[in-house]
């Protein structure tokens, strides 16, 4: 039995579903999945398209392939097609009609792991079917997500997760992100 070279079986676009603000950009990637289960980055070799260019455009220009730009509120399907057009993959991109969040302050200014922090700001309430995300620094220089316990338009509460380190608070809501100007101090 002879086995020929692996054939392209699918194209996976990531992120698969995401919300951004108008006027911002987001990098999509395309991964080819082959019949032998191997994968290959195809971001620069596929042809990108948007189903609603008034909502979002996506670049095929060298050096920026897969870079989407939010134009106006709405939904667009972002598609990556292999040369020849035989296979494609797609993702859902929503451009939010809601304004981006802002952080005015947070309290208390320091906390131990497991403590509850209240963030005060504007536009902190996520739109229908979406959620707010809080990201904190880690000692290793990375980021960790915190559990958001409640949100209103002006207040967001979250629990400091194990692994968090002293650093700014980032809140992502409705495709926009706000970062605190002061650091949250994590007590040992």
């Amino acid at each position: 039995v002879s086995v020929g070279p692996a054939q392209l079986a699918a194209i996976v676009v990531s992120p698969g579903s995401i919300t951004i603000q108008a006027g911002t950009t987001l990098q999509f990637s395309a991964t080819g999945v082959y019949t032998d289960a191997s994968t290959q980055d195809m971001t620069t070799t596929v042809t990108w398209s948007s189903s609603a260019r008034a909502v979002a455009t996506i670049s095929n220009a060298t050096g920026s392939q897969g870079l989407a730009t939010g134009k106006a509120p709405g939904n667009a399907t972002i598609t990556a097609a292999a040369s020849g057009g035989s296979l494609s993959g797609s993702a859902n991109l929503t451009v939010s009609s809601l304004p981006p969040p802002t952080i005015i302050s947070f309290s208390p200014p320091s906390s131990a792991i497991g403590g509850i922090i209240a963030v005060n700001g504007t536009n902190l309430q996520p739109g229908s079917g979406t959620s707010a995300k809080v990201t904190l620094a880690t000692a290793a220089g990375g980021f960790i997500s915190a559990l958001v316990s409640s949100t209103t338009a002006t207040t967001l509460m979250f629990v400091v997760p194990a692994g968090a380190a002293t650093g700014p608070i980032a809140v992502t809501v409705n495709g926009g992100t706000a970062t605190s100007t002061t650091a949250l101090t994590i007590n040992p």
Side-chain angles (χ1 to χ4, degrees), residues 11 30-31 42-48 59-60 65 79-83 87:
I11 297 173
T31 303
M42 296 180 68
T43 304
T44 60
T45 58
V46 295
T47 299
W48 292 96
S59 176
N60 282 298
Q65 294 103 322
T79 302
S83 58
L87 276 175

Side-chain angles (χ1 to χ4, degrees), residues 102-160:
T102 62
I103 296 175
I104 297 168
S105 64
F106 60 87
S107 63
S110 63
S111 174
I113 301 301
I116 295 177
I117 304 296
V119 176
N120 298 304
T122 61
N123 310 317
L124 298 175
Q125 181 79 45
S128 175
T130 66
S131 59
K133 180 181 174 188
V134 172
T135 310
L136 302 173
T138 64
F143 297 95
I144 188 169
S145 293
L147 175 66
V148 176
S149 55
S150 69
T151 56
T152 68
T154 57
T155 306
L156 178 146
M157 311 279 278
F158 71 89
V159 179
V160 178

Side-chain angles (χ1 to χ4, degrees), residues 4 6 18 35 42 44 64 77 95 101 124 133 137 147 152 169 182:
I18 195 161
T35 51
M42 296 180 68
T44 60
S64 66
T77 300
V95 178
L124 298 175
K133 180 181 174 188
L147 175 66
T152 68
I169 299 168
T182 57

